[in-house]
Amino acid sequence: EDKVVQSPLSLVVHEGDTVTLNCSYEVTNFRSLLWYKQEKKAPTFLFMLTSSGIEKKSGRLSSILDKKELFSILNITATQTGDSAIYLCALLSNAGNNRKLIWGLGTSLAVNP
Amino acid sequence: EAGVAQSPRYKIIEKRQSVAFWCNPISGHATLYWYQQILGQGPKLLIQFQNNGVVDDSQLPKDRFSAERLKGVDSTLKIQPAKLEDSAVYLCASSSGVASTDTQYFGPGTRLTVL
């Protein structure tokens, strides 16, 4: 059965810290892995990863995929209180003629001043 | 470009009542999704439309939930009758459906409380 497991489930850090969020997966017919940030509203898209070993960066956020070991990490450097959110990992798979998005439960990040 | 629109933003009903949610996707997006997100969990796909056809509704509780996208643009999701466990945020998302960009863009969601 396809599944996505995120860790840790929750994390509390201080401003300025660096955090690493993990997403491991088991899936047949992998297509891509997506990271979303969810505050008190709907998820907003961060990254889409398709190839192993190619880091994607956006400001203080970066992410990389390892298709051999079946995981991805999301790094946030110099964290700010505005980074407090739930970070969701989702896997896009090809299921027959259909594409399916499988979601993890998320990592709840709290950044304290 | 304008984002995914949803209404209402909040709804409170009593159990056994009916409720309907509306979604207007990003212009030109062929694929539309309805998700249910219960507090503390990731989104759960209820139904996926490609234009006005259903691609996946395997997790839609069809005895009480229904959805339609008649003209291949906006969509409605209905719950009839509602149960307490239906309290959740209902998210609508759309994607262009082009192979290289499977990114889903989400609307603000409708928070449903069933009393």
Side-chain angles (χ1 to χ4, degrees):
Chain A
E1 183 186 337
D2 296 344
K3 64 179 180 182
V4 176
V5 177
Q6 292 188 246
S7 63
L9 286 181
S10 65
L11 192 56
V12 181
V13 300
H14 291 290
E15 270 192 316
D17 288 351
T18 293
V19 297
T20 299
L21 310 181
N22 298 284
C23 175
S24 63
Y25 63 90
E26 293 177 22
V27 71
T28 50
N29 301 312
F30 173 92
R31 183 174 178 86
S32 57
L33 186 146
L34 301 103
W35 283 98
Y36 286 84
K37 177 183 180 183
Q38 186 172 27
E39 297 168 89
K40 291 180 182 177
K41 47 187 179 181
T44 52
F45 172 75
L46 292 176
F47 298 111
M48 181 170 73
L49 302 159
T50 308
S51 303
S52 253
I54 299 173
E55 185 183 52
K56 295 229 174 166
K57 275 184 79 74
S58 177
R60 297 177 293 103
L61 276 67
S62 63
S63 185
I64 197 161
L65 174 67
D66 186 327
K67 290 168 74 173
K68 184 180 174 186
E69 300 297 329
L70 305 182
F71 75 93
S72 173
I73 59 171
L74 175 69
N75 274 326
I76 309 174
T77 58
T79 51
Q80 301 171 358
T81 55
D83 296 328
S84 297
I86 296 173
Y87 290 84
L88 292 163
C89 173
L91 210 71
L92 192 67
S93 73
N94 285 323
N97 293 324
N98 188 19
R99 288 183 197 141
K100 207 166 184 171
L101 201 62
I102 304 140
W103 293 85
L105 293 181
T107 293
S108 177
L109 174 66
V111 181
N112 292 330
Chain B
E1 65 184 358
V4 176
Q6 287 188 249
S7 67
R9 293 295 308 278
Y10 304 92
K11 190 74 178 177
I12 301 174
I13 61 172
E14 294 187 348
K15 60 183 179 183
R16 290 188 288 273
Q17 285 188 318
S18 301
V19 65
F21 312 127
W22 174 82
C23 172
N24 188 264
I26 292 172
S27 178
H29 278 195
T31 308
L32 184 148
Y33 311 80
W34 281 103
Y35 289 92
Q36 180 194 60
Q37 187 173 24
I38 293 171
L39 189 66
Q41 299 181 18
K44 169 188 164 186
L45 179 68
L46 294 175
I47 190 166
Q48 176 184 342
F49 291 97
Q50 182 84 17
N51 296 311
N52 61 349
V54 175
V55 174
D56 183 355
D57 64 356
S58 56
Q59 297 193 89
L60 185 74
K62 296 181 187 63
D63 57 335
R64 298 184 300 107
F65 286 64
S66 64
E68 59 184 15
R69 193 185 184 199
L70 291 175
K71 296 181 180 178
V73 180
D74 55 355
S75 174
T76 55
L77 175 71
K78 296 179 183 175
I79 308 175
Q80 181 180 7
K83 293 186 176 181
L84 296 176
E85 58 261 35
D86 298 332
S87 294
V89 175
Y90 290 85
L91 296 166
C92 179
S94 70
S95 66
S96 64
V98 175
S100 62
T101 55
D102 291 302
T103 304
Q104 295 183 22
Y105 297 91
F106 285 82
T110 297
R111 183 177 295 277
L112 174 67
T113 302
V114 182
L115 303 175

